[in-house]
């Protein structure tokens, strides 16, 4: 051995073994009889000469052999990737290929936690593991669900979901996920499984139009995301009661459930939700034909202690479901019933007379033939704190029913009637007389029974509490009725007369002059007979309080109105001049007004606005966040691009 250490000769190839005692040579290598071994002057011997094979044996060139890690089985790759020390490392490794991405995304958080614990043990006791250099960053394990991700149409794929699952781990964790797909969306259970495994902090999941997701994917979410609080499913044809039952069993913190157009979800799923989710507060069920009385009744009765909002639409339910809601809805504050064709007057009557809806504050009834005068009065009796009533497309509601309801609903603050053609102006005035001290908002939309009538002003009620009035597309309401409004409602602040083509300057002047508090929002969309004279007067009287002015379609409005706006409006932030006869000069006036801080300006279809307006629009200031220049044919695309560069913070529609 000493001779070897003192060896100082050249690097020769010496045949045969180095040791005189051949038995010692087995300590290094066992070589064939014809192998030549190179002996360098160092402690460790190297084999440099190739082995000499017998005749007929093929020499394998090692350099041509594939050395990629991808040659390993998926099971081995899975174990390797699972042992990466942190979220960032796993995210970086997923960038290698789609294969690696899907493998890394298939690792559950619990498996990572077990592996990280093992890594911590290796740091404390290196002798237990070969790799004693692994240090786990404790900050990376924090996953509180701060992030929100939304995928639309083509963006929604399994690969994208896997990337989100990995990318959000080290950045606070995914809290909200929204998938807005289409009929061609290729999101499947694989993508949802990746989210379930990598995002245990998920609290809100919304899936619209995902035709390939099944109960398997939803069950994975339930197993991997026990903190789920809100679930929204729309047009998911392959999800059934089985998936919903899995959510009910694994996600006890669920507070909001929305199911729309899911044909396979029925009563069993809703029964499970009612039994297992004691914190449920909001339920929305639309167009699910397998949902019937049994499912609704079980859900409402089981979750009666927490349920606050119920929205039902196009379901095969009868009077029984409404009776259960009326009896068990002790904490319901918001109730919406739409297109329930099998519900009769008896259902609404029982719902009101069971006196269970003591906390109900808002009710919306749309296209339900069972709503009659008797039914509406019963609802008012059973809901002493009712503040908002919305009725749409009621064929049997009359003036008598409306007046009786207003007399019983002593807390009523808002009344919205839409497509109620049996309601006349006498019914409206009668309701105002009953609730003259409480009613704050009145909205009448497409009520064809409203027509001008002649009466003495001394007989009219005075409604001092009314702050907001909407009369839209009611052709029978003309100048005479508008003048009446001005006399009986002196405290109005918001008025919407959209589509009232019969309104003129003469009818609006009394309304403007009678206001004692100052108008804040005025919408005159489609009032084609309104002129600059009215706008000038309006601005002169209410310019200091006016915040929103909509003159869309008022073609008699010119730059003269804009001059009045620039001189007297100090708090105006929303101005719509679409299809008006304003020009570049008017735009220049708006841009030069120092006191104006417009947030939204619409000049759509203004044929006299040209390229000359662009410099002035560019000087509107930092306050502008929305600009509508649609159908301005005299403004070129190049000019719009330059404007977008200058107002880079503003949302420009062109």
């Amino acid at each position: 051995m000493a001779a070897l250490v003192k060896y100082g000769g050249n690097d020769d190839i010496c045949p045969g073994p180095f040791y005189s005692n051949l038995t010692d040579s087995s300590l290094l290598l066992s070589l064939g009889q014809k192998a030549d071994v190179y002996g360098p002057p160092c402690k460790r011997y190297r084999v440099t000469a190739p082995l000499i094979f017998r005749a007929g044996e093929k020499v394998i060139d090692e350099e041509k052999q594939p050395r990629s890690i991808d040659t390993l089985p998926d099971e081995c790759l899975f174990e390797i990737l699972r042992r990466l020390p942190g979220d960032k490392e796993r995210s970086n490794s997923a960038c290698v290929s789609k294969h690696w991405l899907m493998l890394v995304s298939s690792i559950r958080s619990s498996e990572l936690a077990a592996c990280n614990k093992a890594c911590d043990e290796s740091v404390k006791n290196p002798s237990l593991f070969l790799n004693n250099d692994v240090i786990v960053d404790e900050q990376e394990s924090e996953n509180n669900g701060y992030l929100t991700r939304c995928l639309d149409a083509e963006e929604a794929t399994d690969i994208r979901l896997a990337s989100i699952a990995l990318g959000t781990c080290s950045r606070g964790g995914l809290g909200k996920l929204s998938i807005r797909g289409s009929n061609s969306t290729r999101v499947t259970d694989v993508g949802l499984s990746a989210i379930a495994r990598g995002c245990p902090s998920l609290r809100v999941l919304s899936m619209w139009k995902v035709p390939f997701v099944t109960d398997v994917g939803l069950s994975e979410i339930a197993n991997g995301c026990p903190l789920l609080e809100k679930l929204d499913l729309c047009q998911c044809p392959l999800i059934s009661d089985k998936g919903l039952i899995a959510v009910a069993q694994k996600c006890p913190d669920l507070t909001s459930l929305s199911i729309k157009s899911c044909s396979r979800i029925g009563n069993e799923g809703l029964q499970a939700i009612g039994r297992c989710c004691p914190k449920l507060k909001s339920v929305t069920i639309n167009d699910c034909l397998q949902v019937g009385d049994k499912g609704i009744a079980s859900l409402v009765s089981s979750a009666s202690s927490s349920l606050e909002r119920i929205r039902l639409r196009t379901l095969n339910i009868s009077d029984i479901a409404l009776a259960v809601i009326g009896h068990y809805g002790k904490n319901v504050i918001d109730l919406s019933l739409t297109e329930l064709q099998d519900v009769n007057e008896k259902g609404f009557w029982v719902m009101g007379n069971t006196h269970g809806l003591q906390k109900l504050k808002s009710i919306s009834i749309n296209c339900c033939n069972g709503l009659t005068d008797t039914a509406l009065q019963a609802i008012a009796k059973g809901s002493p704190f009712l503040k908002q009533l919305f009725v749409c497309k009621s064929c049997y509601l009359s003036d008598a029913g409306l007046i009786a309801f207003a007399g019983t609903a002593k807390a009523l603050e808002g009344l919205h009637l839409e497509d109620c053609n049996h309601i006349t102006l006498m019914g409206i005035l009668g309701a105002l007389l009953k609730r003259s001290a409480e009613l704050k908002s009145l909205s009448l939309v497409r009520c064809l029974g409203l027509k001008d009538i002649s009466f003495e002003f001394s007989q009219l009620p005075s409604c001092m509490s009314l702050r907001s009035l909407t009369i839209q597309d009611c052709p029978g309401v003309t100048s005479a009725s508008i003048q009446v409004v001005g006399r009986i409602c002196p405290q109005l602040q918001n008025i919407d007369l959209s589509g009232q083509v019969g309104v003129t300057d003469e009818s609006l002047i009394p309304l403007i002059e009678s206001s004692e508090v100052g108008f804040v929002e005025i919408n005159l969309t489609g009032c084609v007979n309104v002129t600059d004279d009215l706008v000038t007067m309006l601005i002169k009287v209410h310019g200091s309080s006016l915040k929103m002015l909509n003159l869309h379609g008022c073609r008699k409005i010119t730059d003269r109105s804009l001059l009045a706006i620039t001189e007297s409006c100090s708090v105006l932030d929303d101005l719509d001049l679409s299809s008006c006869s304003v020009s570049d000069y008017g735009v220049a006036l708006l841009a030069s007004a120092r006191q104006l801080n417009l947030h939204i300006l619409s000049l759509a279809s203004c044929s006299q606005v040209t390229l000359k307006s662009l410099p002035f629009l560019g000087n509107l200031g930092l306050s502008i966040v929305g600009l509508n220049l649609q159908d301005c044919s005299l403004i070129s695309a190049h000019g719009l691009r330059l404007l977008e560069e200058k107002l880079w913070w503003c949302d420009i529609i062109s």
Side-chain angles (χ1 to χ4, degrees):
M1 189 68 179
L4 287 175
V5 173
K6 296 179 180 179
Y7 175 77
N10 55 4
D11 296 343
D12 296 328
I13 297 178
C14 305
F18 283 96
Y19 299 108
S20 57
N21 186 359
L22 295 178
T23 58
D24 295 335
S25 64
S26 62
L27 297 174
L28 295 178
L29 293 171
S30 177
L31 303 177
Q33 297 179 355
K34 297 184 180 181
D36 292 334
V37 180
Y38 171 69
C42 62
K43 294 182 180 180
R44 203 177 282 180
Y45 296 98
R46 299 176 297 174
V47 178
T48 59
L51 296 178
I52 302 174
F53 294 88
R54 294 181 178 88
E57 292 184 352
K58 185 175 181 180
V59 179
I60 300 177
D61 189 355
E62 294 182 358
E63 295 182 356
K64 294 183 180 180
Q65 292 299 308
R67 297 179 181 272
S68 172
I69 194 173
D70 285 332
T71 58
L72 293 174
D74 286 350
E75 294 80 4
C76 295
L77 280 176
F78 179 89
E79 292 298 326
I80 294 173
L81 297 174
R82 188 167 70 93
R83 284 165 170 76
L84 291 175
D87 294 328
K88 292 182 179 179
E89 287 75 9
R90 284 187 289 273
S91 181
N92 292 337
S93 67
C95 297
V96 173
S97 65
K98 292 181 180 179
H99 183 204
W100 281 35
L101 170 63
M102 300 311 294
L103 274 177
V104 175
S105 64
S106 66
I107 305 174
R108 295 185 180 275
S109 299
S110 58
E111 295 169 335
L112 294 175
C115 184
N116 289 342
K117 182 178 180 180
C119 292
D120 287 338
E121 292 294 333
S122 70
V123 174
K124 296 177 182 178
N125 190 357
S127 61
L128 296 178
F129 298 92
L130 293 176
N131 184 8
N132 58 358
D133 296 326
V134 177
I135 299 176
V136 178
D137 188 356
E138 295 180 357
Q139 294 181 352
E140 289 187 350
S141 63
E142 295 181 1
N143 204 339
N144 297 317
Y146 298 129
L147 301 180
T148 299
R149 294 291 182 267
C150 182
L151 301 180
D152 293 326
E154 291 79 8
E155 295 179 350
T157 62
D158 290 341
I159 296 296
R160 190 69 181 273
L161 288 177
S163 302
I164 289 175
L166 289 174
T168 56
C169 289
S170 59
R171 295 172 175 84
L174 184 65
K176 298 180 181 180
L177 175 62
S178 176
I179 304 174
R180 295 291 188 267
S182 62
N183 293 330
S184 59
T185 299
R186 292 296 175 181
V187 171
T188 67
D189 297 333
V190 175
L192 278 191
S193 298
I195 293 294
R197 290 165 180 161
C199 306
S201 61
L202 188 67
R203 287 178 169 83
V204 180
L205 174 62
S206 177
M207 295 191 298
W208 287 34
K209 291 187 179 180
V210 281
F212 301 107
V213 173
T214 69
D215 293 330
V216 175
L218 190 58
S219 299
E220 286 286 338
I221 290 291
N223 292 327
C225 307
L227 302 179
L228 192 68
E229 297 176 359
K230 296 182 180 181
L231 178 62
D232 183 4
L233 304 176
C234 179
Q235 297 185 28
C236 302
L238 299 184
I239 293 180
S240 67
D241 288 331
K242 183 178 180 181
L244 206 58
I245 292 173
V247 172
Q249 294 174 345
K250 300 292 184 178
C251 304
D253 293 335
L254 194 70
T255 61
S256 177
L257 175 65
S258 178
I259 305 173
K260 302 176 183 178
S261 301
C262 297
S263 57
R264 294 191 178 184
I265 292 180
N267 296 328
E268 294 182 6
L270 296 182
Q271 290 173 334
I273 292 291
R275 289 194 307 267
C276 304
C277 300
K279 299 180 181 180
L280 190 66
K281 292 184 178 181
S282 176
V283 172
T284 300
I285 306 175
N286 292 358
D287 194 21
C288 296
L289 299 182
Q290 293 192 30
V291 173
D293 290 331
K294 188 176 181 180
I296 298 299
S298 177
L299 176 64
V300 174
S301 60
S302 300
S304 61
S305 60
S306 61
L307 202 56
E308 296 179 354
R309 291 175 174 83
I310 302 176
R311 295 178 177 88
L312 307 178
R313 179 169 185 169
T314 318
L315 302 178
N316 293 324
I317 61 176
S318 66
D319 298 338
I320 297 175
L322 263 63
V324 173
I325 292 174
H327 182 74
Y328 289 98
K330 299 177 182 179
N331 291 294
V332 175
I333 60 175
D334 185 6
L335 178 61
S336 177
L337 307 172
T338 303
E339 296 180 5
L340 304 179
Q341 302 300 328
D342 295 332
V343 175
N344 301 316
E345 179 187 65
K346 182 179 179 181
F348 286 102
W349 186 87
V350 174
M351 184 178 71
N353 281 286
T354 52
H355 299 286
L357 299 174
Q358 292 292 310
K359 295 184 179 181
L360 187 66
K361 294 182 179 180
S362 175
I363 185 169
S364 174
I365 304 174
N366 186 353
C367 198
C368 294
N369 294 330
L371 183 66
T372 63
D373 294 345
T374 303
L376 190 60
Q377 189 173 5
I379 292 173
K381 290 180 179 179
S383 308
F385 298 103
L386 186 65
K387 293 185 177 182
Q388 304 289 334
L389 172 67
F390 180 101
V391 178
C392 179
K393 295 182 180 179
S394 176
C395 301
Y396 303 107
L397 184 61
S398 66
D399 290 342
L402 180 61
I403 295 173
F405 170 82
T408 307
K410 300 184 182 301
L412 188 66
E413 295 181 356
L415 176 61
H416 182 106
L417 301 177
E418 184 173 332
D419 292 312
C420 297
N421 297 327
H422 291 174
I423 300 295
T424 68
L425 194 57
M426 290 300 296
I428 299 299
L429 293 176
L432 289 177
L433 181 62
K434 294 287 186 180
R435 296 269 67 85
S436 60
E438 296 86 9
L439 195 64
K440 296 180 180 179
S441 174
L442 175 62
S443 180
L444 307 171
V445 180
R446 294 187 300 275
C447 294
L448 303 182
L450 297 178
K451 296 179 181 180
D452 291 340
I453 56 177
S454 59
F455 40 74
E456 296 292 335
F457 286 109
S458 59
Q459 301 174 351
L460 295 176
S462 178
C463 191
M464 301 297 293
S465 62
L466 197 65
R467 297 292 186 271
S468 177
L469 175 64
T470 298
I471 304 177
Q472 291 184 7
D473 299 318
C474 298
V477 178
T478 59
S479 300
S481 299
I482 299 299
Q483 291 180 16
V484 171
V485 171
R487 289 180 178 271
I488 67 176
C489 304
Q491 301 293 320
L492 276 178
Q493 292 180 315
N494 306 324
I495 186 164
D496 185 348
L497 300 176
S498 301
Q500 296 303 117
V501 294
V503 171
T504 62
D505 292 356
E506 290 74 18
S507 61
L508 290 176
I509 288 175
L511 181 63
I512 294 172
E513 292 178 338
S514 62
S515 178
E516 299 176 357
V517 294
F519 283 112
V520 177
E521 296 182 1
I522 295 182
N523 188 348
L524 300 176
T525 299
C527 298
V528 294
N529 293 317
V530 171
T531 67
D532 290 328
D533 292 335
L534 177 75
V535 175
T536 302
M537 178 186 176
L538 171 65
I539 298 302
K540 184 178 180 180
V541 178
H542 302 286
S544 59
S545 62
L546 194 62
K547 292 184 178 180
M548 191 278 284
L549 179 60
N550 192 333
L551 299 171
H552 188 162
C554 301
R555 297 191 177 276
K556 295 182 179 181
I557 300 300
T558 66
D559 295 337
R560 181 184 164 198
S561 295
L562 299 187
L563 179 60
I565 290 174
T566 57
E567 291 178 348
S568 303
C569 289
S570 56
V571 295
L572 187 68
D573 58 21
D574 189 345
L575 179 61
D576 192 339
L577 300 169
S578 301
S579 301
C580 293
S581 300
V582 298
S583 65
D584 298 333
Y585 176 70
V587 176
L589 290 174
L590 291 176
S592 62
R594 296 292 182 180
Q595 77 279 7
L596 269 182
N597 290 298
L598 285 176
H599 294 167
I600 300 175
L601 174 62
S602 179
L603 298 171
S605 302
C606 291
S607 58
Q608 299 181 39
V609 175
T610 68
L611 281 172
K612 296 179 180 179
S613 297
L614 295 184
F616 304 115
L617 293 173
N619 294 327
L620 285 175
L622 295 174
S623 64
I624 191 74
V625 294
L627 180 60
N628 189 351
L629 297 176
Q630 280 185 315
D631 300 321
C632 292
S633 56
L634 298 181
I635 299 180
S636 64
H638 176 69
L640 288 173
R641 285 194 296 269
L642 295 178
L643 183 62
E644 289 173 351
E645 292 177 1
K646 189 170 185 179
L647 301 178
W648 53 268
W649 65 88
C650 179
D651 185 12
I652 300 178
I653 303 176
S654 58

